[in-house]
């Protein structure tokens, strides 16, 4: 794919910006934009001094935007989405992300919490509170971070213990009888020792959804999280111990279960053109017709098109528990810093769902996972004060132990032959050595070289089995009788153990003609682990072994500050050559999508970020992203609607255009109080939720708008706020499962409009 004339013009514009800033900066201002400090290159730097395309948000900013989870973070960054469903959260950056049905595969966008790699999508759900900042880095980052950073890295940093006593309590109440609490206390404990205890609780007693079958509401939330930290500051050594715990007894958001089959047979036209609704005449659930012949049509067809009205006979329950921690040790030598980070994560998942949203016992899934992760990283970093060079070299090790016991039942009271018990153990051992070297060639020109060697071994034991009946075995719902293997790890072509090696690199250059502008360019490669797609494989062919993903990325960008740093404009354009990408596809005989390797995906795109402070107290932000990507491999799939060619299709969760913005105004009220008015908004172009790009899985473009009004004391001791999220009541589906061979289309909707009040008190 060649660069078009439009991106070439952007390159010229980037070079022109540096000259323009020198002229405009002659103006003076008394209200410059506050500096944002990040650690994207493992040291504290201004975001404007880092030659990486990135976005960063401080903890106070996140609170003002009412950001409570990773989904809200993505909405405020161009070319970033979050794919979420079944309690898993996966970032998608510039069209690269994870769209697998289950979580045994690791994502190409790495997530770190306090520099500890979070390999699975369910690990971040109960740890994101008391946050100091979030950094979203785009493009391969393997020369500096843990594993699988093909698409980028999203790094969360929690607030650390302080050596002076302070605390905070935040209380909130919202619609759907939602109660929120978050707070912390920190301060000295003894000489050279300080501590911090923080926690949160969210309880939503009324769900977003009204269930007409059981006469209840669904989508309730019941979560708690705790974190305790101790920080020792010795003469040349700093030791941080952090432990966290979380418990989630919420309800997953249910599906809108649509049909696709005509009573007389074949697909209904409305399903094929993507216009099917819950009350579409003669567009019924196929398996209902197969196993309940002669039943009233109203049993299969709810007769309404409200996505927040459900009919499922089984509630979507969650009983998840997480525990983990880290020990970080930093020792300062005369001209270097040695860092050790030891991390441990343990997660137990026990969830159930009524997969077809039907009032009869039909398709139901019981999800069960036990997961342990151990990571160890060592880094040696120069003191970062050398005139000519700096370096970071490191070693990384990870061990994962993943047990899966998911059980899918299909008309268990009628026919046990469709029941599928996905039971397996997966272990991962990963080792890497990396180096990041910076050379200052002249006062204004610097080059950066990075290299990473990766060795990984993934072993799978188990597979999928037939089952009959259901029983509770120590909290795990499983078949009463486990039948013969449908697909077995013993029969995988090439064996049940994968060993993958890779050497990736980065070469970049930064030119800073003055203190207010930078132009940078880079070439880098990325690597994402191979593995196995095993969930509910309905035949041996559907238990697929996956080769690693590999990518070469080319990027040029600029960062600039104008008018005495009251106006910032940053931009970048990029090209990705992606090989052996993991994609989720429909299989005619499978009740869930399976994952395969696509030979080639090519991407070009561009981004702009703007921050302007025209008046004291007024901040205006905007971001725009453009991505043009497509599958280049000549690959035809056998699907439930017949053969589908993927060549020329867009990957899932990849809108061509994205836009986001924020407006914030802070004004004094007399001498002792202030008022803050803020809103943030985002727009996502229409995009497909599955790579086969059928009308049934097209998500139309949508806006999200949030707003907040706060009044507080001038010394920030207290603040009262009124807030609203999705205030325009946009209906959109971040999760979809399109299974034409089984006669249904499942859509998971995002929450409707929510609003509430909150009170912050600092002491």
């Amino acid at each position: 794919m060649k660069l078009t004339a439009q991106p070439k013009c952007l390159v010229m514009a980037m070079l022109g910006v540096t000259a323009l800033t020198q002229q405009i900066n002659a103006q003076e201002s008394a209200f410059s934009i506050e500096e944002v400090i990040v650690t994207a290159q493992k040291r504290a730097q201004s975001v404007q001094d880092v030659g990486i395309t990135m976005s960063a948000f401080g903890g106070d900013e996140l609170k003002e935007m009412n950001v409570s989870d990773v989904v809200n973070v993505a909405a405020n960054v161009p070319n970033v989405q979050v794919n979420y469903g079944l309690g898993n959260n996966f970032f998608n950056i510039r069209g690269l992300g994870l769209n697998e049905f289950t979580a045994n595969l690791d994502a190409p966008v790495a997530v770190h919490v306090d520099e500890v790699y979070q390999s699975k999508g369910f690990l971040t759900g109960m740890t994101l509170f008391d946050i100091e900042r979030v950094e979203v880095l785009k493009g391969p980052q393997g020369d500096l971070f843990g594993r699988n950073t093909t698409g980028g890295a999203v790094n969360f940093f929690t607030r650390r213990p302080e050596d002076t006593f302070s605390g905070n309590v935040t209380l909130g109440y919202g619609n759907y009888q939602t109660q929120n609490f978050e707070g912390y206390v920190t301060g000295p404990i003894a000489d050279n020792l300080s501590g911090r205890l923080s926690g949160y609780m969210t309880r939503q007693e009324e769900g977003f959804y009204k269930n007409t079958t059981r006469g209840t509401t669904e989508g309730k939330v019941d979560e708690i999280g705790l974190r305790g930290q101790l920080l020792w500051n010795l003469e040349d050594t700093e030791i941080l111990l952090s432990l966290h715990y979380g418990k989630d007894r919420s309800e997953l958001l249910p599906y809108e279960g649509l049909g696709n089959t005509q009573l007389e047979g074949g697909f209904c036209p409305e399903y094929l053109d993507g216009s099917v609704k819950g009350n579409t005449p003669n567009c019924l659930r196929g398996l209902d017709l197969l196993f309940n012949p002669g039943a009233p049509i109203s049993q299969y067809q709810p007769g309404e098109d409200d996505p927040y009205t459900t009919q499922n006979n089984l509630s979507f329950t969650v009983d998840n528990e997480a525990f983990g921690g880290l020990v970080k040790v930093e020792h300062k030598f005369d001209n270097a810093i040695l860092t050790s980070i030891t991390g441990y994560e343990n997660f137990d998942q026990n969830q159930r769902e009524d997969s077809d949203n039907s009032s009869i016992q039909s398709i139901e899934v019981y999800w069960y996972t036990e997961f342990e992760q151990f990571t160890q990283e060592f880094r040696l970093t120069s003191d970062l004060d050398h005139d000519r060079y700096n370096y970071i070299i490191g070693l990384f090790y990870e061990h994962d132990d993943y047990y899966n016991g998911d059980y899918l039942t299909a008309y268990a009271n009628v026919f046990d032959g469709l029941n599928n018990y996905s039971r397996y153990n997966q272990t991962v051992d990963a080792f890497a050595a990396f180096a990041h070297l910076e050379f200052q060639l002249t006062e204004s020109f610097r080059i950066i070289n990075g290299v990473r060697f990766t060795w990984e071994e993934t072993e799978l034991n188990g597979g999928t089995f037939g089952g009959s009946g259901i029983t509770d075995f120590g909290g795990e719902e499983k078949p009463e009788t486990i039948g013969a293997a449908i697909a077995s790890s013993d029969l995988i072509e090439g064996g049940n153990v994968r060993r993958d090696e890779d050497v990736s690199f980065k070469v970049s250059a930064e030119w800073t003609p003055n203190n207010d502008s930078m132009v940078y360019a880079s070439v880098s490669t990325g690597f994402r682990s191979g593995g196995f797609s095993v969930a509910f494989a309905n035949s041996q062919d559907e238990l697929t072994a996956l080769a690693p993903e590999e990518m070469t990325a080319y990027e040029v960008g600029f960062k600039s500050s104008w008018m005495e740093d009251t106006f910032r404009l940053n931009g970048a354009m990029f090209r990705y050559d992606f090989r052996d990408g993991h994609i989720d596809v429909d299989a005619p005989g499978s009740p869930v999508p399976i994952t395969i390797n696509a030979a080639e995906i090519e991407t070009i795109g561009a981004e702009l970020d703007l921050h302007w402070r025209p008046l004291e107290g007024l901040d205006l932000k905007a971001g725009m992203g453009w991505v043009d990507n497509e599958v280049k491999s000549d690959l035809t799939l056998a699907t439930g609607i017949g053969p589908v060619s993927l060549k020329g299709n867009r990957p899932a969760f990849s809108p061509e255009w994205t836009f986001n913005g924020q407006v914030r105004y802070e004004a004094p009220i007399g001498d002792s109080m202030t008022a803050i008015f803020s809103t943030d908004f985002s727009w996502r172009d229409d995009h497909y939720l599955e790579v086969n790009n059928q009308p049934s899985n097209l998500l139309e473009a949508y806006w999200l708008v949030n707003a907040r009004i706060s009044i507080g004391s001038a010394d920030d001791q207290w603040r009262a706020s009124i807030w609203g999220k999705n205030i325009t009541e946009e209906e959109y589906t971040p999760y979809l499962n399109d299974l034409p061979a089984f006669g249904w289309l499942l859509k998971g909707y995002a929450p409707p409009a929510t609003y509430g009040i909150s009170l912050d008190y600092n002491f």
Side-chain angles (χ1 to χ4, degrees), residues 519-750:
V519 176
Y520 59 93
S522 67
V523 179
S524 56
T525 60
F527 169 86
R528 176 191 171 196
S529 311
F532 301 95
S533 175
V534 58
F536 300 131
N538 210 40
S539 68
Q540 189 62 43
D541 290 341
E542 293 175 6
L543 204 170
T544 57
L546 301 169
E549 296 177 340
E550 296 180 349
M551 185 182 74
T552 303
Y554 309 88
E555 184 161 349
V556 293
F558 71 88
K559 297 188 176 184
S560 64
S561 301
W562 300 359
M563 297 178 285
E564 289 295 307
D565 204 19
T566 61
F567 186 93
R568 291 181 181 176
L569 181 66
N570 300 339
M573 71 175 198
F574 54 90
R575 168 177 164 165
Y576 291 167
D577 294 328
F578 200 47
R579 300 171 297 281
D580 288 330
H582 299 176
I583 58 173
D584 225 21
V585 299
D586 174 32
S590 175
V592 300
I594 64 172
T595 306
I596 64 171
N597 285 108
E600 186 179 359
I601 301 173
E602 290 188 355
T603 301
I604 62 171
E607 293 154 351
L608 284 174
D609 280 288
L610 176 151
H611 185 177
W612 184 27
R613 181 171 287 179
L615 302 170
E616 186 171 4
L618 177 62
D619 285 89
L620 307 175
K621 295 183 179 181
M624 183 174 65
W626 168 69
V627 171
D628 180 14
N629 58 354
E630 63 180 47
V631 177
K632 303 297 289 187
S633 51
D634 191 7
L635 182 62
T636 298
L637 299 177
T639 73
I641 59 172
V644 173
S645 174
L646 297 188
K647 188 172 184 178
N649 284 10
R650 294 181 66 89
F653 292 91
S654 184
E656 183 176 7
W657 293 95
T658 61
F659 174 76
N660 61 274
Q662 300 166 36
V663 178
R664 180 185 187 275
Y665 181 63
E666 181 173 352
I669 302 177
D671 295 330
S672 60
M673 296 177 62
T674 60
I676 300 175
F677 306 88
S678 62
T679 181
D680 61 274
F681 42 89
S682 63
W683 179 80
R684 296 296 185 262
D685 201 357
D686 54 11
H687 57 280
Y688 292 97
L689 301 185
E690 295 191 358
V691 73
N692 59 16
N693 286 195
Q694 298 302 303
S696 55
N697 55 71
L698 177 66
L699 175 59
E700 296 183 354
Y702 64 92
W703 282 93
L704 286 180
V705 182
N706 308 314
R708 189 181 187 95
I709 300 174
S710 303
I711 296 177
S713 61
D715 60 2
D716 287 331
Q717 185 174 25
W718 64 269
R719 180 179 298 176
S721 305
I722 301 175
W723 56 266
K725 299 175 67 173
N726 189 15
I727 59 177
T728 58
E729 298 188 318
E730 192 78 19
E731 293 180 359
Y732 67 102
T733 54
Y735 176 81
L736 178 144
N737 190 9
D738 188 4
L739 294 167
F742 287 80
W744 76 80
L745 172 65
L746 302 180
K747 292 186 175 183
Y749 282 80

